[in-house]
Amino acid sequence: MPSDYDKGAYPEPPRQTPVVDKQTSLPNPALILSKLFYYSVDLPVTTFREAIDSIRDKNRAVYYHQKFRRVPDLTECHKGDYVCYYEAEMQWRRDYKIDQEIVKVIQERMRACQQREGASYQQNCTKEIEQFNEVTRNFQSRYEDLGAYASARKCLMKQKERMMAEAQAQSA
């Protein structure tokens, strides 16, 4: 600032916050209650929660890397072995979900290529389109016509019927 600055020429604007007019020497009861609540309830609960969360973070199993051992297929189960049937069914359901996700990923890749290439996607995305067609063909050959209540047993019977039809076609 220049040395010849005149405060009287440019007065400071009035403050927007009013001056506290304290009329009593007693403390504010709302302030006392809020501090009491903070130190008696909020602080202990928050500290306890942070301690529990830190313990959980150390012992957390990574859910997306859960590995299941491969179990025998339905064809390998002995007659009356219901535990084996159940495990084979659960394995089939996991495989079904994995196959669905594979189809989704390949489809996303194909759509991204189509979006990126625009009108000339048929020329430039042939690899993605062929891969998508192959994956959907394989998925449909395995899971098509199983219905809403698909199971490992139904899928196995469908595979058996398909193999029998292929054998008849070759022999005829």
Side-chain angles (χ1 to χ4, degrees), residues 9 11 23 26 28-29 54 72 105 122 133-134 136-137 139 141 168:
Q23 298 193 5
L26 293 175
N28 186 356
S54 69
V105 167
Q122 290 179 337
N133 290 336
E134 179 186 347
T136 53
R137 190 178 326 108
F139 183 83
S141 72
Q168 282 182 346

Side-chain angles (χ1 to χ4, degrees), residues 69-84:
R69 64 179 180 84
R70 293 296 295 188
V71 296
D73 198 39
L74 267 179
T75 58
E76 300 168 14
C77 292
H78 297 291
K79 185 176 179 181
D81 189 0
Y82 296 107
V83 174
C84 184

Side-chain angles (χ1 to χ4, degrees), residues 14-25:
R15 297 193 179 270
Q16 299 292 324
T17 56
V19 177
V20 176
D21 185 23
K22 197 171 188 182
Q23 298 193 5
T24 179
S25 63

Side-chain angles (χ1 to χ4, degrees), residues 15-141:
R15 297 193 179 270
Q16 299 292 324
T17 56
V19 177
V20 176
D21 185 23
K22 197 171 188 182
Q23 298 193 5
T24 179
S25 63
L26 293 175
N28 186 356
L31 184 62
I32 292 173
L33 288 175
S34 68
K35 292 286 185 184
L36 179 71
F37 176 77
Y38 175 75
Y39 286 112
S40 64
V41 176
D42 191 28
L43 185 65
V45 168
T46 305
T47 307
F48 180 74
R49 174 66 187 256
E50 288 172 354
I52 295 297
D53 285 345
S54 69
I55 292 170
R56 276 190 184 160
D57 287 341
K58 292 176 189 170
N59 298 333
R60 179 168 294 176
V62 183
Y63 70 92
Y64 49 85
H65 285 142
Q66 186 175 8
K67 294 186 179 176
F68 296 98
R69 64 179 180 84
R70 293 296 295 188
V71 296
D73 198 39
L74 267 179
T75 58
E76 300 168 14
C77 292
H78 297 291
K79 185 176 179 181
D81 189 0
Y82 296 107
V83 174
C84 184
Y85 294 163
Y86 177 77
E87 287 179 343
E89 180 69 30
M90 292 301 110
Q91 181 68 52
W92 181 84
R93 288 185 187 186
R94 284 192 295 271
D95 290 344
Y96 180 64
K97 286 183 180 183
I98 289 170
D99 289 344
Q100 283 178 327
E101 290 301 317
I102 289 172
V103 170
K104 284 181 189 176
V105 167
I106 299 297
Q107 186 177 27
E108 286 175 9
R109 286 182 188 168
M110 183 189 70
R111 286 185 178 166
C113 184
Q114 287 176 344
Q115 183 72 25
R116 184 178 60 245
E117 298 299 331
S120 61
Y121 76 91
Q122 290 179 337
Q123 287 176 300
N124 301 334
C125 300
T126 54
K127 185 182 97 180
E128 286 84 359
I129 293 172
E130 287 174 7
Q131 187 180 25
F132 175 72
N133 290 336
E134 179 186 347
V135 167
T136 53
R137 190 178 326 108
N138 292 338
F139 183 83
Q140 286 177 348
S141 72

